Amino acid sequence: MNGLGPTTGNLRMVNDFSPDPSRTGIWVGLAAISMSFAAFTSALVVRQATANDWHPLTIPSIVFLNTVILLASSVTLEVARRRVADFARNKSSYRRASLFWLSGTLVLGLLFVIGQYVAWRQLRAEGLYLASNPNSSFFYVLTAMHALHVLGGLVGVLRLIYLVRQPLFSLRRSTMDATSYYWHFMGVLWLYVLIVMWIKL
């Protein structure tokens, strides 16, 4: 049927062309995540305004290293997206490059989560726990919620690696794009969280 897709018989190009609801779904999901973190921010502002037990919190220095790692993972994923696009256009030599950059993103994402755990350990070593004071509570909640969403993104990256490794390439462009949008959003969201903590905590 004319107008419904490529007529070359190339399965890779069909998967690249075919529409997919994942693009719409990812924007809905990102909007929901944005609203949840906006709610956390509002709660923080209100709690700070009404608190007499608000004590300044020094953000663990490793958090800033974690920031660099997460931003670097966005770069590796963007490179991976271009290599996957090349591979989908029958440039078979790009399969290994695609897997290399996707794996790099996965490793950096894991390092970010591990780094956040180290930051929590540093706070605990200082005697600051979830219920110690409002500042530490919000630090734990904001960073833990973000780390959980990053873990969700890592599941998406693992799925991309699995699909690229298949003998019969079946990765839709929309799936690759949706995962990339989500991951880049995690980077932007983390910068927002970091700024909020820097100013308010």
Side-chain angles (χ1 to χ4, degrees), residues 131-198:
S132 295
N133 58 61
N135 305 61
S136 62
S137 297
F138 277 106
F139 180 88
Y140 280 109
V141 170
L142 287 171
T143 56
M145 287 297 296
H146 182 269
L148 286 174
H149 285 92
V150 169
L151 287 174
L154 289 176
V155 173
V157 175
L158 275 172
R159 182 166 180 261
L160 293 179
I161 293 173
Y162 171 79
L163 291 173
V164 172
R165 287 178 61 89
Q166 297 307 299
L168 180 61
F169 187 87
S170 60
L171 174 61
R172 291 177 180 270
R173 177 180 175 182
S174 56
T175 302
M176 182 75 215
D177 287 347
T179 305
S180 298
Y181 298 156
Y182 180 90
W183 193 259
H184 296 326
F185 178 78
M186 286 299 106
V188 174
L189 180 62
W190 174 246
L191 291 176
Y192 167 78
V193 170
L194 185 62
I195 291 171
V196 168
M197 293 192 301
W198 181 268

Side-chain angles (χ1 to χ4, degrees), residues 24-77:
T24 302
I26 196 63
W27 292 118
V28 174
L30 296 184
I33 294 171
S34 298
M35 288 188 289
S36 67
F37 275 86
F40 283 127
T41 304
S42 297
L44 188 158
V45 171
V46 172
R47 182 68 176 84
Q48 184 186 41
T50 59
N52 55 12
D53 55 350
W54 200 266
H55 306 290
L57 182 146
T58 300
I59 298 176
S61 57
I62 194 172
V63 167
F64 301 102
L65 174 60
N66 296 342
T67 302
V68 174
I69 290 173
L70 187 61
L71 295 179
S73 71
S74 277
V75 174
T76 59
L77 185 57

